[in-house]
Amino acid sequence: MGRDGTRGQDVTEKAGAPSVLEASLDAIITIDGDGRVVRFNRAAEQIFGFSREEAVGQRLAQLVIPPDLSPAHTARLSKLAGGERPRMLDHRLAYRAMRKSGEQFPVELIVTRSCEEPPMFTGFVRDMSRLVQAEDRGTRTEELLATAEDLAHLGSWRLDLRSGDAFWSDGIYRIHGLDKSSFEPGVETYLQVIHEHDRHRVAKLLETVVETPEELLGREVNIDYRIVRPGGAVRELRARGRVEAGDDGEPRRWVGMAQDVSEQRLTARGLRAHYAVTQALRDWASFEEGVVGLLRRLGTALDVAAGSLWTAEPGRPLTCRAFWSAPGVGAGEFQEATRQRSYSVGEDLPGRAWQAGQPVIVEDVAAEAEFDRRAVAVSGGVVSALAFPAIANGQPLAVLAFYALDRRPSSEPLVRTLDGIGRELGSFLERRRADLGTRRLTKRELEVLKLAAEGNTGPRIAEQLVVGPATVKTHFEHIYEKLGVSDRAAAVAHALRIGLIQ
């Protein structure tokens, strides 16, 4: 790699979309396995004083890491590039960075491994100088702590293990969206605001804290979980706590802090989605194989339960060309319902995304009257859905739809991520337009399908066409593959719906 950063810029173009990074108020810096910068967003330029052109291609250790911290940074990077697995979000609250001017200042740093091959790491950096400035001006300790909680989206708690009395800082109430005057903190009341899928895990930890605190005495405990705010919004938290002893050496209190990391994880999820698309398009061999790999990789990066891809030929409705579901998700009934449907432009989720030419997000599927498969989706646990078109030259070529088992509120970063991915896919699919149309049935396959629609059995169809039963069976297998169905009834229904037969 040259020092002029040319390779870094090339990796950058493949690795992600500028819109995701530029939407962040935090500095976001991506480095490769050699420690060279390949991404440097606008916030990073403002915080560190380097322009993007100055930063890309340079070693991070020589750019913004203070000299006394550089050896530790280099050693840590070497371990990670060698295969050591970091935690998804690795907090380094007590950390220093350096501006172009040489000034050192405190930062909050969160690191994630954002790409496996080639290895790349993304850091989310928040300038904490305001805290120090407030302290220098003689701000009282209580005000300083409140400012810190507000800036870092965190709060603290204390639970007396003998009396059961609990204390929450204002930050905890703020994170949970709760009114201090009407919510009484405590173990049982707190479990009520935990997301149902995480409640058992949190309850088990709190049971240990209350019943056998000596097991945790002096240990730091980290746990990630989700909460549900009043109104249904889901937020992701990272909590750290420990059991402290009293003067007698016995467990006395459970103390800790919780931080709302939803925005960081949303940004990280967006980055992972872009990487997933890059990898899927790189490995694309054929439409049938490539589209399934795309749905699987993108669906995994977005942490959803299922996904589908829809296309439409001129004058015909949108039909589902591929469906994917995550391991362990029982999507059979919903998949069947999706495969059997077709929608006009403007109809249902795929048709609305096609017509709008932009992402459409349904936060609550159960309350969405225009969602045609609402009943079967809700029975399968689907809570939210989103769809976005693959756009080329201002025109949609396909629509990707994904379904989540938790609430996914619409947000500007999410919309920008989906829009960027849609344009990337559109550019790719534009060169493969021939693959987007429904695979044409041969004249003989259409004859077989028409006879099946009239109620003829396989042997009767073979007799009328003067061919063997095995030949008819082969024709049906080809028909199923081309139409994306699994049996004769579904093939006939699909062909009638899209006008292949009358």
Side-chain angles (χ1 to χ4, degrees):
M1 178 187 301
R3 288 185 175 273
D4 61 358
T6 52
R7 179 180 167 193
Q9 291 171 346
D10 180 64
V11 172
T12 299
E13 290 302 316
K14 294 179 180 178
S19 59
V20 179
L21 302 177
E22 301 308 324
S24 176
L25 298 179
D26 294 339
I28 301 181
I29 305 173
T30 299
I31 60 175
D32 61 19
D34 294 325
R36 295 185 185 274
V37 176
V38 297
R39 270 291 191 195
F40 205 76
N41 73 340
R42 185 179 296 113
E45 291 181 307
Q46 297 171 348
I47 290 175
F48 292 102
F50 292 97
S51 68
R52 195 166 313 181
E53 291 73 19
E54 291 175 310
V56 171
Q58 300 301 312
R59 291 190 182 279
L60 186 68
Q62 300 171 357
L63 197 69
V64 302
I65 306 296
D68 62 317
L69 296 179
S70 183
H73 163 81
T74 303
R76 178 62 172 156
L77 178 64
S78 178
K79 290 182 180 180
L80 294 177
E84 181 177 303
R85 301 293 302 178
R87 290 175 296 180
M88 178 56 215
L89 291 176
D90 183 18
H91 287 243
R92 299 284 298 278
L93 296 179
Y95 204 81
R96 285 179 287 118
M98 184 172 63
R99 305 188 203 277
K100 183 178 181 180
S101 64
E103 173 196 356
Q104 296 188 23
F105 63 105
V107 298
E108 177 193 56
L109 173 64
I110 303 174
V111 178
T112 179
R113 189 185 188 106
S114 49
C115 188
E116 294 291 343
E117 187 62 36
M120 283 193 281
F121 309 92
T122 297
F124 302 82
V125 185
R126 180 169 297 168
D127 185 349
M128 305 298 285
S129 300
R130 288 175 56 186
L131 297 182
V132 175
Q133 294 168 359
E135 187 175 36
D136 291 343
R137 291 194 301 268
T139 304
R140 288 179 297 127
T141 302
E142 294 82 358
E143 294 177 348
L144 179 62
L145 291 175
T147 301
E149 288 191 349
D150 189 25
L151 287 172
H153 304 289
L154 57 82
S156 56
W157 76 80
R158 181 179 67 251
L159 174 67
D160 190 308
L161 297 176
R162 298 179 184 178
S163 69
D165 293 336
F167 165 80
W168 281 7
S169 70
D170 290 345
I172 291 287
Y173 285 99
R174 184 165 49 247
I175 288 172
H176 292 77
L178 296 170
D179 185 352
K180 188 175 182 179
S181 64
S182 59
F183 187 87
E184 185 69 26
V187 172
E188 294 302 323
T189 54
Y190 188 58
L191 288 175
Q192 297 172 13
V193 304
I194 305 296
H195 192 285
E196 61 178 344
H197 292 159
D198 297 335
R199 190 173 297 148
H200 176 73
R201 189 162 46 87
V202 176
K204 190 173 181 180
L205 171 61
L206 293 178
E207 180 181 357
T208 302
V209 168
V210 175
E211 301 296 333
T212 56
E214 59 277 2
E215 295 181 11
L216 304 176
L217 188 59
R219 288 172 45 196
E220 182 177 294
V221 179
N222 298 326
I223 184 170
D224 295 340
Y225 58 95
R226 291 162 294 176
I227 60 169
V228 182
R229 287 180 170 178
V234 176
R235 305 296 292 180
E236 298 184 57
L237 302 190
R238 158 159 284 198
R240 294 180 174 183
R242 66 168 176 258
V243 173
E244 294 184 340
D247 295 338
D248 56 3
E250 296 297 318
R252 178 57 190 267
R253 64 188 68 84
W254 165 245
V255 298
M257 56 80 68
Q259 184 173 29
D260 185 340
V261 295
S262 303
E263 300 307 320
Q264 293 97 321
R265 290 188 174 175
L266 180 61
T267 303
R269 188 177 290 151
L271 288 170
R272 292 199 306 274
H274 280 284
Y275 295 138
V277 171
T278 299
Q279 292 173 334
L281 299 188
R282 180 196 62 193
D283 297 340
W284 191 287
S286 66
F287 183 85
E288 286 72 20
E289 296 178 0
V291 71
V292 174
L294 172 65
L295 290 174
R296 174 177 56 80
R297 281 175 159 151
L298 187 51
T300 301
L302 293 173
D303 192 23
V304 295
S308 55
L309 182 137
W310 303 71
T311 62
E313 296 183 70
R316 289 186 172 178
L318 281 79
T319 58
C320 177
R321 293 289 302 279
F323 188 95
W324 161 86
S325 60
V329 174
E333 188 176 355
F334 182 64
Q335 177 177 355
E336 183 179 356
T338 299
R339 287 282 197 183
Q340 292 177 354
R341 298 296 201 278
S342 61
Y343 299 112
S344 302
V345 173
E347 184 182 14
D348 205 83
L349 188 63
R352 288 164 57 192
W354 185 287
Q355 183 179 60
Q358 61 186 18
V360 175
I361 299 173
V362 177
E363 186 173 343
D364 185 1
V365 166
E368 185 68 23
E370 296 183 19
F371 192 71
D372 165 63
R373 292 156 290 151
R374 180 174 68 253
V376 67
V378 171
S379 67
V382 173
V383 175
S384 299
L386 57 89
F388 62 95
I391 296 287
N393 300 318
Q395 298 297 319
L397 300 181
V399 167
L400 285 84
F402 292 96
Y403 312 92
L405 302 183
D406 58 1
R407 190 178 293 268
R408 298 292 176 89
S410 179
S411 67
E412 185 175 349
L414 177 59
V415 171
R416 287 185 178 181
T417 293
L418 299 179
D419 186 68
I421 290 174
R423 295 184 185 282
E424 183 179 356
L425 288 176
S427 177
F428 179 84
L429 294 175
E430 171 70 12
R431 304 188 296 272
R432 294 163 176 78
R433 276 184 174 269
D435 294 333
L436 297 179
T438 302
R439 295 179 63 185
R440 301 289 184 183
L441 301 185
T442 66
K443 181 179 179 181
R444 178 51 59 93
E445 288 166 351
L446 283 173
E447 289 176 338
V448 169
L449 200 56
K450 288 178 181 177
L451 290 172
E454 293 171 0
N456 292 288
T457 63
R460 177 61 179 160
I461 293 173
E463 180 182 336
Q464 293 192 46
L465 296 179
V466 194
V467 297
T471 300
V472 173
K473 181 179 179 182
T474 299
H475 284 316
F476 272 120
E477 290 174 350
H478 291 167
I479 291 170
Y480 299 159
E481 180 186 359
K482 290 180 180 181
L483 298 185
V485 297
S486 58
D487 57 45
R488 185 179 305 185
V492 170
H494 183 78
L496 289 169
R497 188 165 56 251
I498 65 177
L500 282 179
I501 58 177
Q502 302 297 324

